[in-house]
Amino acid sequence: MTELSRTKHTTLSLQAMRERKESIVMVTAYDATQAAHAEAAGVDVILVGDSLGMVVLGYDTTIPVTINDMLHHAKAVRRGAKNTMVLVDMPFASYHQSVADTVRNASKIMQEAYADGLKLEGGSEILPHVQALVQAGIPICGHLGLTPQSVLQFGGFRVQAKEMDAAQKLLDDALQLQQAGAFMVVLECIPSALGALVTESLDIPTIGIGAGENCSGQVLVYHDVLGLGMHHRRPKFVKKYATLGDSAISALTKYKDEVKRREFPNPDYRYDIAADAISKLSNRAGKGENL
């Protein structure tokens, strides 16, 4: 069975992977090409993250990202990866009002983007929303630790739950999310020992991003894996597996230089027409005849 014809993962198959201690591989992607690359590589899950606000749209945080932004990119990802499980972030303020509004917003994303599940940031404060979405039949992945939608409260992007009280709250929140029906939890930017403890304490998979090697799986952003980002400061947890950004700049610079020198396009990159046809057209143009 080729990767392109494989069976798409479900919440049950991810749970089975956790039980047999097979690492779950997740990649965050934002368009059809990136999704197709991830599917061809055989990743288990694609996340359409609201990090697109920073990585793709140029914002300083994820807060300006709207439901329409998420829908636009999630639809593209689904078109590019029809055989891979796709999770979609619910963006800032889309699940913090009434539970009815949350269900309405979540249903819109699920129906229009053909999503396989949604991801929500937060713990005890969003439990009623998680419970309502699960009851509505929507698979929910939690997200604890560094939750980018709360970055203004945190005072910046920094490691979370380093102190006892904060670590205890994170563990409690993870257990409560599981109790509320979440099928998986992302743990971002926390001490590795805490990531291991939470993973051991839960019965559902954990996905780490800067949470150590003992989580049930790992997630990184497509651009970070390939070295495509233009960030001046790369998080400690990011490993670059390529430096395509440098290659892209080099290629674009060479293209610019060849155009400036009129070396491109050369005869290898042009289309031809019969010489007599051009001669006739030229004569007509010289006489002012209609072409």
Side-chain angles (χ1 to χ4, degrees):
M1 180 173 64
T2 66
E3 293 294 349
L4 293 180
S5 64
R6 62 185 181 159
T7 301
K8 184 170 64 175
H9 276 296
T10 66
T11 58
L12 290 179
S13 65
L14 294 182
Q15 181 67 29
M17 291 178 71
R18 177 200 177 278
E19 298 298 332
R20 61 177 180 265
K21 298 188 182 302
E22 178 184 349
S23 291
I24 300 166
V25 181
M26 182 187 291
V27 168
T28 302
Y30 312 107
D31 66 29
T33 298
Q34 295 163 16
H37 289 166
E39 184 166 279
V43 305
D44 300 308
V45 184
I46 296 175
L47 171 66
V48 187
D50 61 355
S51 50
L52 68 88
M54 302 171 68
V55 179
V56 177
L57 302 180
Y59 298 127
D60 293 329
T61 71
T62 64
I63 293 173
V65 177
T66 66
I67 289 178
N68 285 337
D69 289 332
M70 295 307 304
L71 282 172
H72 178 80
H73 288 271
K75 289 177 181 179
V77 166
R78 173 49 79 203
R79 289 191 289 268
K82 295 180 173 61
N83 300 299
T84 303
M85 185 179 196
V86 173
L87 303 182
V88 181
D89 269 344
M90 289 195 71
F92 180 78
S94 66
Y95 55 100
H96 297 88
Q97 308 300 319
S98 72
V99 170
D101 284 342
T102 295
V103 174
R104 187 179 305 109
N105 291 333
S107 299
K108 180 179 178 68
I109 296 173
M110 291 293 293
Q111 290 180 316
E112 295 189 22
Y114 296 97
D116 297 303
L118 303 177
K119 182 169 74 63
L120 281 67
E121 296 180 6
S124 57
E125 66 277 10
I126 65 164
L127 289 180
H129 300 267
V130 173
Q131 291 169 336
L133 294 176
V134 172
Q135 289 173 3
I138 300 175
I140 297 299
C141 175
H143 184 160
L144 298 171
L146 176 57
T147 47
Q149 292 175 19
S150 302
V151 70
L152 297 181
Q153 288 183 324
F154 296 153
F157 295 92
R158 58 183 65 187
V159 179
Q160 300 297 307
K162 295 178 70 175
E163 305 299 329
M164 177 63 187
D165 288 348
Q168 182 66 63
K169 182 180 185 324
L170 188 144
L171 176 57
D172 292 343
D173 282 345
L175 291 167
Q176 290 174 11
L177 285 170
Q178 175 177 272
Q179 182 64 31
F183 75 92
M184 189 162 66
V185 178
V186 170
L187 303 174
E188 180 170 357
C189 213
I190 63 173
S192 60
L194 179 58
L197 176 60
V198 173
T199 301
E200 181 182 343
S201 301
L202 294 180
D203 296 321
I204 59 176
T206 61
I207 302 295
I209 176 166
E213 68 277 12
N214 292 309
C215 295
S216 308
Q218 302 292 327
V219 60
L220 284 177
V221 171
Y222 176 96
H223 296 66
D224 289 339
V225 172
L226 298 182
L228 282 169
M230 296 297 290
H231 306 297
H232 298 295
R233 183 173 177 271
R234 188 172 77 247
K236 181 180 180 180
F237 58 75
V238 169
K239 178 177 180 179
K240 290 198 301 184
Y241 288 81
T243 54
L244 300 190
D246 293 342
S247 298
I249 293 171
S250 176
L252 289 167
T253 301
K254 185 175 181 181
Y255 162 67
K256 179 260 299 182
D257 290 342
E258 288 191 2
V259 171
K260 290 290 187 181
R261 294 193 298 265
R262 296 189 179 276
E263 295 175 359
F264 175 83
N266 63 33
D268 291 335
Y269 301 95
R270 73 185 186 194
Y271 302 98
D272 292 320
I273 188 174
D276 61 337
I278 288 294
S279 178
K280 291 177 180 178
L281 289 171
S282 179
N283 289 334
R284 290 181 182 179
K287 297 177 181 178
E289 297 180 13
N290 292 328
L291 298 179

